Each structure stands twice: as structure tokens, then as C-alpha cells.
Amino acid sequence: MSSDPALGMVEVPTRRIVSLAASAFVVLAAEPLFVLVDTAVVGHLGRVPLAALGAAGTVMTVLAVLGSTLEYGTTGRAARYYGAGRREAAVNEGVQASWLALAIGLLAVLVGQLVARPVVQAVTGGAGPVADAATEWLRVAILGLPGILIVLAGNGWLRGVQDTRTPVRIVVVANVLSALASPLLVYPAGLGLTGSAIANVLAQWVGAALCLRAIRAEGVPLAPAWPVMRAQLVVSRDLVIRALAFQAAYLTAAGAAGRMGAAQLAAHQIGLQLWQFIALLLDSFAIAAQALVGAALGGGAVAAAKSTAWRVSRYGLVAGVVFAVIMAAGWYLIPALFTSDAGVREQAHVLWPWLVAMMPVAGIVFALDGVLLGAGDNAFIRTITVVSALGGFVPLCLLAVWLDWGLSGVWAGLAAFIGVRFVGMVWRTRSGRWLVVGEQR
């Protein structure tokens, strides 16, 4: 029997979608808002620190996103158990994901300390002031990686059981504390770029502690269970490949921008942070879809799953149009908020039309991504991501360097990445092949 009467309906109530999306919106907005504040704080230190933050931040994002496969896998598995009326089993997915997050995070810290400099130099194009500053920032910031992964695991199971309040409390407390600490550590404390890294670590471990407290409050057994962890790793396999394709593309883009000059890399950092910020906000509908579709299929409500898929797509389109209008209106003002360097602002204006144009289509893509993730259609998501990244994004970035297209070429690659995924996601959703019912796919 379903744990939620709404799942027996042909159509999930709009208020349920809005409630989940609003909660996800706050959670998703908090971290990139802190990154944007951090970028603005560091941006006024000068061109080199901002470029260094862009290079090191890209590497840090790669490590974190690879761990985010636990989040997506946990949400889907927990949502199906929740829809089938088995809350304890759903929470246990979070317990085991947290153990995996801690183990993976500690290993990544060790490896990251060893390879920080060569990896950063690969992004920046070689040794120099930018690479030196980026390496210093990365070696501090990476200490918070286990905390990042524990928070991702926590978000996964909390979304799966459709808890809309706890994730908001956790993320607000952690990131407000860190947003206050960043400018204080960078300027009055005199720590400069290193102060930014310390503020990051502070937020990540505070969030992790709050997530672990939420698990303890559920009263479920906390011992590691290898069979469950092994099943999570199997589910995450395709998502890891998907994440690697994402990060190969974004690293290639950062590397291409870095070889064009410090102004281009700094502008790319501003544009990328704004893109990722808005992408995460658009993802709020995807997360609502993931939780609702997973729970609906877990409870056997196929009609509710199909209806939810197309409704969140429409909501995503509307949100994408709204953000496109806002960014178009802020063509001059927004880059000026992040840097006083005229050269960096000029390069930001080069990429701006691409940033604006992608948003409406991206709203649909991200919503359908959540639908298919909730359904556990991971193999298809893996394939379409790899094809669009390696067949569109990466080649255009490389051509941008080779043919001297500048940042416009790099961002044309990102637009191709979104366009190919859009075609594939719409086709797959219309096919209905993702509609598989049961506690687990």
C-alpha cells in the first residue's frame, strides 16, 4: 500500500509539486549563492585571484559532482521505497549512502592533496601566478569534500521521503554562516584567497553534521550494510559515467578559456557560476519530478508519473524564460557586480548571448532529466549525456582554441550540449519506456 494517498491519483496535486520544488529551490540556491558571494568577494582582490578561483573551483566541482551520483541514486531508490510504504527502508538508503560518502570523500582528500598542482596546471595551461594561487586554494578547500558528499547523500534520502523542511534548515544555517565568514576571512583577517577556501570548508562540515543529526533522529540502525551499499554502487555506475562526461566537458571548457588568457578565464568563471546557479534553480522542478515520479512508480501509479513528467516540463520552460529575461536585462550590470576589470567585463559580454539563449530550452531539459532519474532510467541518461558532451561540447571547445573563436566558441559548445540532450530527453519521455513500476527498477 502506498504511504501517500496522493500517489493513487491520476494526477499529483499542483501544491505537492510546488512544495517540493520550492524546498529544492531554496536548497539548490543556497550553495551557488554562497559561491556567487565568494566570487564577488575574491573578484575584487584582482584578476589573478579570480582566475585562480575559477580554475581551482572547476577542479573542486569535478570532485563534488562525481560524488553527487550518490545523491541522485539515493533519491530514486528511497522514493520508490517511500511510495511502496516502506519509510524505514527509504531512510536506510540514506544511512548507507552516508557511509559511502565518508569513505569516498576521505579517499578523494588524500588523492587530491597529491595531484592538486599538476591538475590545476593542466586547467590553467601551465605554471605561473594563477596556478600557484589556485593550488593553494584547492589544497585547503578539498578538506571539506567529505562534508560535501555527506550533505549530498542527506539531500538524496530526504528528497526521497519528500521531507521539504529539513534540507532547507540545513542548507540555510550552513551557508549563511559561511557567507558571513568569507568576506571577514578574506579582508579583515587578511587571509586573501585562502580565507575563501576556509569559509567553504566551514559550510561543508556544518552541513554534514546537521545531515547526520537528521539521520539519527529517524531511529533506524546506523551500522554499515554492504549489500545495500553494493546495490547503490551498481545504480550509481551509469551516473558516474554521466558525471564524468559532464566534467570532461566542463574541464575542457575551462582549459580552453585558460589558454585564451586570464581575462577570458575570469569571465568564463563568472559566466559559468551564473549558469550553474540558474541551472540549479531550474533543477528544483527536476528534483520535485524525481521524488514524485519515483514514489509514483514505486506505488504503481503510472498515470501520475506520466502526468507529472509533462507538467514539470511546462513549469521548467516558464522558469527558463523568466531567467532568460532577467539575464538579458542585466547584460551590463551583472558582470560589473563581479569584477571592476574592464577586460574581464568585455569578455563576459562575449558569452552573454549564449547564456541567455540557452535558458528556456535548459528548463525543459533539466525537468525531464529529473523525470528519468526518478524512474531509474540511468542507462539512457548516461548515453545521451556522453553523446552530447563528447560529440558536441568538447569538439567545439577544442575548435574554439584551434581556430581562435574565443569565448563565443566555448559557449557555443555548451549550447550544443543542451540542444542534443533536449532532443534525446523529449524523445525518450514520449516513448514511455521509462515507466517501470515496483520498489526498485
Side-chain angles (χ1 to χ4, degrees):
M1 180 178 178
S2 170
S3 63
D4 189 341
L7 295 180
M9 300 180 180
V10 173
E11 187 171 273
V12 175
T14 298
R15 66 179 179 276
R16 177 62 58 85
I17 297 176
V18 172
S19 175
L20 284 167
S23 171
F25 184 94
V26 175
V27 172
L28 292 170
E31 177 66 20
L33 271 175
F34 166 67
V35 173
L36 287 174
V37 170
D38 204 30
T39 300
V41 170
V42 171
H44 292 285
L45 288 173
R47 179 182 297 186
V48 169
L50 182 57
L53 180 63
T58 299
V59 176
M60 192 69 182
T61 299
V62 171
L63 298 174
V65 169
L66 289 176
S68 71
T69 57
L70 280 175
E71 178 183 24
Y72 295 127
T74 302
T75 297
R77 287 174 58 84
R80 282 182 177 260
Y81 280 127
Y82 178 74
R86 299 183 58 197
R87 182 185 177 93
E88 184 172 334
V91 177
N92 184 54
E93 293 292 326
V95 173
Q96 306 311 320
S98 297
W99 281 112
L100 283 174
L102 181 61
I104 294 169
L106 291 175
L107 178 61
V109 168
L110 176 61
V111 174
Q113 294 294 341
L114 295 174
V115 303
R117 181 169 294 277
V119 170
V120 164
Q121 288 182 356
V123 173
T124 59
V130 172
D132 291 342
T135 300
E136 181 181 354
W137 186 93
L138 182 60
R139 282 184 168 154
V140 175
I142 202 172
L143 298 176
L145 188 60
I148 294 176
L149 301 189
I150 291 171
V151 170
L152 291 173
N155 283 336
W157 74 265
L158 287 166
R159 290 167 182 167
V161 301
Q162 299 184 23
D163 184 336
T164 60
R165 297 181 179 179
T166 304
V168 171
R169 288 197 296 266
I170 291 172
V171 77
V172 168
V173 170
N175 285 281
V176 166
L177 179 62
S178 191
L180 293 174
S182 180
L184 293 175
L185 292 172
V186 170
Y187 292 108
L191 296 176
L193 189 60
T194 300
S196 159
I198 294 172
N200 274 269
V201 173
L202 174 65
Q204 290 145 9
W205 279 108
V206 168
L210 294 174
C211 282
L212 294 177
R213 187 176 72 171
I215 286 181
R216 287 181 59 86
E218 292 285 335
V220 301
L222 302 178
W226 173 242
V228 177
M229 286 190 278
R230 183 175 60 232
Q232 289 181 344
L233 289 173
V234 170
V235 169
S236 297
R237 179 182 57 207
D238 290 329
L239 299 182
V240 167
I241 296 172
R242 171 181 181 264
L244 286 171
F246 266 110
Q247 296 315 309
Y250 283 119
L251 276 175
T252 301
R259 283 159 177 78
M260 295 172 185
Q264 284 87 343
L265 180 56
H268 179 71
Q269 164 68 2
I270 293 171
L272 187 62
Q273 291 303 330
L274 286 167
W275 164 253
Q276 291 179 338
F277 171 63
I278 294 171
L280 287 174
L281 298 186
L282 292 174
D283 248 357
S284 60
F285 292 112
I287 288 170
Q290 189 179 3
L292 291 170
V293 166
L297 294 176
V302 173
K306 291 174 65 175
S307 172
T308 299
W310 294 117
R311 289 169 68 200
V312 295
S313 299
R314 292 195 296 270
Y315 298 155
L317 173 61
V318 172
V321 170
V322 170
F323 282 121
V325 170
I326 292 172
M327 296 305 291
W331 175 84
Y332 180 81
L333 177 61
I334 295 174
L337 295 175
F338 293 96
T339 179
S340 54
D341 188 304
V344 176
R345 291 201 303 270
E346 180 181 356
Q347 290 299 321
H349 293 155
V350 170
L351 63 84
W352 214 259
W354 295 103
L355 180 63
V356 172
M358 288 188 295
M359 289 181 188
V361 176
I364 299 173
V365 169
F366 298 153
L368 293 181
D369 205 38
V371 169
L372 298 182
L373 283 168
D377 197 13
N378 299 333
F380 176 79
I381 293 173
R382 171 207 66 204
T383 300
I384 192 63
T385 303
V386 170
V387 168
S388 56
L390 302 186
F393 198 169
V394 170
L396 283 173
C397 286
L398 296 176
L399 285 172
V401 176
W402 185 32
L403 299 177
D404 197 24
W405 289 345
L407 281 184
S408 184
V410 173
W411 282 71
L414 179 55
F417 183 54
I418 295 297
V420 174
R421 289 172 65 206
F422 170 77
V423 173
M425 292 288 186
V426 171
W427 171 81
R428 185 66 170 185
T429 305
R430 287 176 61 87
S431 75
R433 296 177 184 176
W434 51 280
L435 292 164
V436 179
V437 299
E439 287 187 359
Q440 295 299 327
R441 184 181 173 95

